[in-house]
Amino acid sequence: MKEKIISKSEELFFSLGFKSVTMDDIANAMGISKKTIYAHFSNKTELVEVVTFSVLDHISEGIDRINAASINPIEELYDIKMFVINYLKSVKVSPQHQLKKYYPQIYERLQIKQFEKMHSSFENSLKMGMNTGLFRPDIDVNFISRLYFNGVTAIRDISVFPESDFDKNYLFESYLEYHLRAITTLKGLNLLNNFTKSNLSSNAS
């Protein structure tokens, strides 16, 4: 039952917002009593925290699978981007904005966990690119991986990139290409250009 509550809460939180959804809403959507929810979660804040870190765990597991099956770091980053976007495609509100505003302590802990996961993944990706001659050999791995994380976080800030003006996929696609063009060698740039052209052709058909 606990996992079902987490799953339904995630669906409601991501479609209606953390602030708007009440424990009564979750209970009614599941056809259970609110008492049943409180048997597993002491309050809504605890439920929000569990749901938030459950989502992070799922995304982290997906990234690990992509890393393990990676052909090269350029396609790897695009695969991660598509995985995250598809996982969050049902999101109707900005979870980052709502967490930061209404649950700042959870938001801060989430940022730390996200950074730990993404920093490690990006560092490995950069090193692979350098070893295969796709990325410049002189890049500062520690600096670039932190810069990339900061950028990925920043483009999700709706106060800077309002959803009415910027499509989510466009933001991630544009930032990823911006990032890669700054660090690729000529070999890497040729691969990037071929890959993006191939993707455009596939999407057109």
Side-chain angles (χ1 to χ4, degrees):
M1 177 56 72
K2 184 175 183 178
E3 291 303 316
K4 290 180 179 179
I5 294 171
I6 294 171
S7 178
K8 177 55 70 173
S9 298
E10 177 186 329
E11 177 188 327
L12 293 174
F13 286 151
F14 279 11
S15 60
L16 301 173
F18 290 107
K19 179 68 173 177
S20 302
V21 176
T22 65
M23 299 296 250
D24 283 317
D25 293 330
I26 298 168
N28 291 335
M30 296 185 68
I32 61 176
S33 69
K34 193 163 60 171
K35 186 177 179 179
T36 302
I37 299 177
Y38 282 118
H40 298 281
F41 304 97
S42 58
N43 52 52
K44 183 183 170 183
T45 299
E46 181 187 349
L47 179 56
V48 168
E49 181 172 7
V50 171
V51 168
T52 299
F53 284 94
S54 173
V55 170
L56 178 60
D57 286 343
H58 285 308
I59 291 177
S60 296
E61 288 167 5
I63 290 175
D64 287 340
R65 288 193 297 270
I66 293 170
N67 290 154
S70 172
I71 299 173
N72 65 68
I74 292 176
E75 293 191 30
E76 176 186 80
L77 286 173
Y78 274 95
D79 287 343
I80 290 173
K81 180 213 70 168
M82 286 308 304
F83 167 72
V84 173
I85 286 177
N86 286 332
Y87 188 90
L88 300 176
K89 64 183 177 183
S90 62
V91 175
K92 301 295 191 300
V93 295
S94 171
Q96 175 178 278
H97 176 74
Q98 291 224 340
L99 279 177
K100 189 174 183 179
K101 185 175 182 179
Y102 299 114
Y103 299 94
Q105 292 182 331
I106 296 176
Y107 173 80
E108 288 177 8
R109 290 198 296 275
L110 179 66
Q111 284 292 94
I112 293 171
K113 286 290 186 180
Q114 281 182 322
F115 174 74
E116 290 172 352
K117 178 62 190 176
M118 294 176 71
H119 181 58
S120 173
S121 175
F122 293 154
E123 278 198 329
N124 291 335
S125 176
L126 289 169
K127 289 174 182 176
M128 185 198 305
M130 294 166 72
N131 291 335
T132 54
L134 296 174
F135 296 162
R136 299 197 328 264
D138 59 339
I139 60 176
D140 184 331
V141 172
N142 188 34
F143 171 72
I144 295 297
S145 61
R146 291 169 186 269
L147 190 65
Y148 186 70
F149 172 79
N150 193 59
V152 168
T153 302
I155 62 173
R156 290 180 291 163
D157 185 344
I158 61 174
S159 65
V160 179
F161 297 100
E163 294 174 328
S164 57
D165 296 338
F166 295 95
D167 175 73
K168 190 186 309 178
N169 188 58
Y170 170 80
L171 285 173
F172 277 99
E173 185 86 20
S174 299
Y175 182 70
L176 179 53
E177 185 172 351
Y178 174 83
H179 163 73
L180 287 171
R181 288 187 180 279
I183 62 173
T184 49
T185 59
L186 182 58
K187 177 184 175 181
L189 184 60
N190 288 333
L191 178 62
L192 174 62
N193 288 335
N194 290 334
F195 181 72
T196 51
K197 285 177 183 177
S198 176
N199 272 3
L200 285 173
S201 298
S202 300
N203 291 336
S205 59

